[in-house]
Amino acid sequence: MPPSSLPARTAFIERNTKETKIQVSLSLDGGALDLLPSSTHFPSTPSSSTSSLAHAASPLSLPHIPEQTEETHASQTSPSQQIWIWTGIGFLDHMLHALAKHAGWSLRLRSRGDLAIDDHHTTEDTLLALGSAFSTALGARTGLARFGTAHAPLDEALSRAVIDLSNRPFFVGMFGFQNEKIGTLSTQMVHHGLQSWSQAAGVTLHVDVLRGDNDHHRAESAFKALAGAVREACRRVEGREGEVVSTKGVL
């Protein structure tokens, strides 16, 4: 069966911890996605009493989260993709938007985290949830290219990403950031976030920023390189349907 006629690879994940509440809907092949469902943590019309109870019960910050029909800094709709992202950390939204766009995904994601403390739990748990959604959507990991590599420039910055859908989580990243933060995202959380994503996604991933003077450019080129590598590795190979691309016979 030609890859284009196969069903889209999709997943919906909810991750709820004491520190964070996260919903992720992902299609590795783009296309339409339903709106994320309402829940206790994401009511369709939050009331003042709900917000007061939540404030009393947990350290979660409860800023306004836009409706999914609202255009935001990290939303984009085209004939082939639907992207809507809100984590409360603007630069993280920007990076996830770039990842989804250039990987060819459709992605709806929202997070409510303890940003009153810092950005650690929200970034970590968001990337863990996204990695779990990626692994679930990928399914049996048969008939795929398996390996992917890509370079991505952004002005003076250049990054390389190499990925193996190995089911053996491992991450190496070299970013060379000069500052502690980009916007409200701690630069050390770029490394830790991608490490978390790799672990939950079940992939071996190497990301290296080869050059660059601007931290924003370094980070964005890294996520775009990752997107290109992911897109290549997830490619369905016609004629290999059902085959495990491994000498071991299993991934």
Side-chain angles (χ1 to χ4, degrees):
M1 183 181 295
S4 60
S5 64
L6 294 170
R9 295 165 290 182
T10 62
F12 172 72
I13 294 290
E14 288 187 291
R15 178 181 172 87
N16 296 319
T17 72
K18 183 178 179 181
E19 294 90 7
T20 60
K21 316 299 178 187
I22 299 163
Q23 290 182 323
V24 181
S25 180
L26 172 66
S27 171
L28 300 181
D29 305 296
L33 286 176
D34 292 335
L35 296 180
L36 296 168
S38 300
S39 71
T40 302
H41 307 297
F42 298 101
S44 55
T45 53
S47 65
S48 58
S49 59
T50 300
S51 298
S52 299
L53 287 171
H55 271 299
S58 80
L60 299 186
S61 56
L62 293 170
H64 169 70
I65 296 180
E67 294 295 323
Q68 296 173 70
T69 53
E70 293 180 40
E71 289 293 320
T72 72
H73 60 274
S75 65
Q76 189 172 14
T77 300
S78 71
S80 63
Q81 289 177 277
Q82 293 182 349
I83 299 170
W84 189 94
I85 298 162
W86 189 274
T87 67
I89 305 171
F91 192 72
L92 179 60
D93 295 350
H94 183 39
M95 295 300 96
L96 296 179
H97 184 187
L99 173 59
K101 180 63 180 178
H102 297 290
W105 297 348
S106 284
L107 174 65
R108 291 187 180 276
L109 184 154
R110 58 185 172 187
S111 304
R112 192 183 292 285
D114 56 353
L115 295 176
I117 296 174
D118 65 10
D119 60 339
H120 186 104
H121 295 137
T122 301
T123 303
E124 178 182 54
D125 287 354
T126 295
L127 270 295
L128 285 171
L130 183 58
S132 295
F134 176 85
S135 183
T136 300
L138 202 57
R141 306 193 184 206
T142 59
L144 305 175
R146 176 178 169 177
F147 301 101
T149 184
H151 289 76
L154 179 54
D155 294 345
E156 87 296 345
L158 176 66
S159 295
R160 176 186 62 222
V162 183
I163 193 169
D164 176 8
L165 307 180
S166 59
N167 237 344
R168 297 193 307 278
F170 201 91
F171 177 66
V172 178
M174 298 293 290
F175 299 96
F177 295 124
Q178 301 174 35
N179 300 296
E180 292 185 1
K181 284 183 175 289
I182 310 173
T184 57
L185 178 66
S186 303
T187 49
Q188 66 177 350
M189 290 309 298
V190 173
H191 186 287
H192 186 61
L194 289 178
Q195 182 180 46
S196 300
W197 182 82
S198 301
Q199 181 174 347
V203 302
T204 301
L205 176 62
H206 291 248
V207 179
D208 298 282
V209 179
L210 304 176
R211 63 178 65 94
D213 300 321
N214 182 283
D215 282 350
H216 184 131
H217 292 175
R218 294 176 77 90
E220 188 169 345
S221 70
F223 274 84
K224 287 178 175 176
L226 171 58
V230 165
R231 190 167 191 160
E232 181 180 327
C234 293
R235 179 174 53 86
R236 289 159 157 164
V237 180
E238 189 172 359
R240 282 189 178 178
E241 294 84 355
E243 291 185 16
V244 178
V245 186
S246 171
T247 57
K248 296 180 175 65
V250 64
L251 289 175

